[in-house]
Amino acid sequence: MHLGHLDVIRHAVHGAGELGGQSALITFEPHPRCVLDPANCPSSITTLREKLELIEHAGVDHAIVLRFDRELAGLSPQEFIDRLSAAMNIRRWVIGFDFAFGRGRTGNADWLRSHGFDVEVVPPFKIDGRDLHSSEIRRLVTSGEVDEANQMLGREYSMSGPVEAGAQVGRQLGFPTANISPEPNKLVPALGAYAGRVHAPEGNFLAALSVGYRPTFGGTELKVEAFLLDFEGDLYQQRLELRFVRYLHPDIRFATPEDLVAQLKRDVADTRRLVSC
């Protein structure tokens, strides 16, 4: 879900209002490429849970999740339309400029119009004169350029999950962190430290975030951690949303724990300087 998708959604919601109908968004799970070309399965910028929350916030009346498998991929455009028409009365299609469906991607705007459908094609969404693509957002996130990715997303890139028990390393250093595990196939930002924020049941907090292996302590397991500024309490098993605002530095192996503590203090100061509440 990025600004281009939200632009299509805005047109669909507006169109539903014009027609006195309801807006419905159809999405697939998993990503079609993960079924048809597993070797090139893209990491998820948004998990299904995150996607549905964003769709709801965008004002869509109905979100329809279709399980994508080879049987669905093999349907002709007409067979696919027949399945949808059995469940709803489609009065207008609102689609992106590169929309295609059905076996071999043989269904498109022209096919829909030739079969009597009202179709609105939303032109490409551009930022700085360039078309917006999910692949570019993935590249930016995996290279640590989250501030640029956030401009394309229209929000801060985030990762969510329940807080898990850790080794208490951060607490021993005076920086107790909340640890979450990346969800399967979720896009993970570049290793390193970030200025960001955390949405918790208790509210929103500035946070120094870390993605890495704790190299100072010989870690071998990927950790996604958050040190919540100005927070005291127990977050264990609570669900947190970590929002990445600005990349600070790579995942560094320090000579001593004292050197790590000094860097953590700088990260906290940078977070306060770069991120507003």
Side-chain angles (χ1 to χ4, degrees):
M1 289 286 291
H2 53 59
L3 288 176
H5 299 124
L6 292 174
D7 189 36
V8 175
I9 288 173
R10 280 192 293 270
H11 282 78
V13 171
H14 177 74
E18 282 185 337
L19 297 172
Q22 294 185 318
S23 57
L25 183 146
I26 300 171
T27 187
F28 298 112
E29 184 68 21
H31 191 290
R33 202 185 311 160
C34 297
V35 174
L36 302 177
D37 187 15
N40 293 300
C41 174
S43 297
S44 300
I45 296 173
T46 48
T47 65
L48 180 60
R49 176 174 181 160
E50 293 166 345
K51 184 188 298 183
L52 292 176
E53 289 176 352
L54 291 166
I55 291 170
E56 181 180 10
H57 292 158
V60 174
D61 295 308
H62 305 281
I64 301 166
V65 182
L66 299 180
R67 177 172 178 78
F68 193 89
D69 53 24
R70 290 195 173 273
E71 188 271 336
L72 185 66
L75 296 179
S76 69
Q78 187 62 59
E79 289 170 332
F80 182 73
I81 294 297
D82 289 344
R83 288 198 179 186
L84 295 181
S85 298
M88 68 183 80
N89 176 25
I90 303 173
R91 300 178 61 187
R92 177 182 297 171
W93 285 83
V94 180
I95 60 178
F97 70 99
D98 57 351
F99 173 80
F101 68 100
R103 185 172 55 245
R105 294 174 59 85
T106 52
N108 52 30
D110 290 340
W111 187 96
L112 290 168
R113 290 190 178 110
S114 69
H115 286 74
F117 287 102
D118 179 9
V119 181
E120 178 184 359
V121 178
V122 181
F125 190 91
K126 296 182 181 292
I127 292 182
D128 296 329
R130 296 187 302 168
D131 292 355
L132 175 54
H133 296 287
S134 297
S135 57
E136 177 64 7
I137 294 175
R138 291 188 182 93
R139 185 192 69 78
L140 291 169
V141 172
T142 55
S143 63
E145 299 170 86
V146 292
D147 51 335
E148 292 188 36
N150 293 344
Q151 294 177 31
M152 299 182 177
L153 290 168
R155 65 183 187 280
E156 291 157 0
Y157 185 75
S158 66
M159 303 183 73
S160 302
V163 176
E164 302 178 336
Q168 306 296 313
V169 172
R171 186 173 300 277
Q172 295 169 18
L173 297 175
F175 292 86
T177 59
N179 307 298
I180 67 169
S181 289
E183 296 186 52
N185 201 47
K186 173 69 175 180
L187 183 68
V188 178
L191 302 185
Y194 295 82
R197 64 182 102 237
V198 166
H199 176 68
E202 291 84 351
N204 297 315
F205 298 88
L206 300 184
L209 309 177
S210 173
V211 179
Y213 292 89
R214 294 177 177 165
T216 302
F217 300 96
T220 57
E221 183 180 355
L222 180 66
K223 298 290 183 181
V224 181
E225 307 175 77
F227 172 64
L228 280 64
L229 280 58
D230 307 317
F231 173 82
E232 292 184 9
D234 184 8
L235 294 168
Y236 181 57
Q237 291 189 331
Q238 296 191 48
R239 188 173 185 86
L240 302 183
E241 181 187 19
L242 279 56
R243 301 171 179 172
F244 295 77
V245 177
R246 186 73 64 86
Y247 181 78
L248 297 179
H249 60 77
D251 196 22
I252 304 171
R253 179 174 182 174
F254 293 93
T256 67
E258 291 74 19
D259 291 338
L260 172 57
V261 168
Q263 182 61 62
L264 290 172
K265 290 179 179 178
R266 290 191 289 270
D267 292 348
V268 168
D270 287 340
T271 297
R272 291 192 188 278
R273 177 174 57 84
L274 295 170
V275 185
S276 59
C277 294

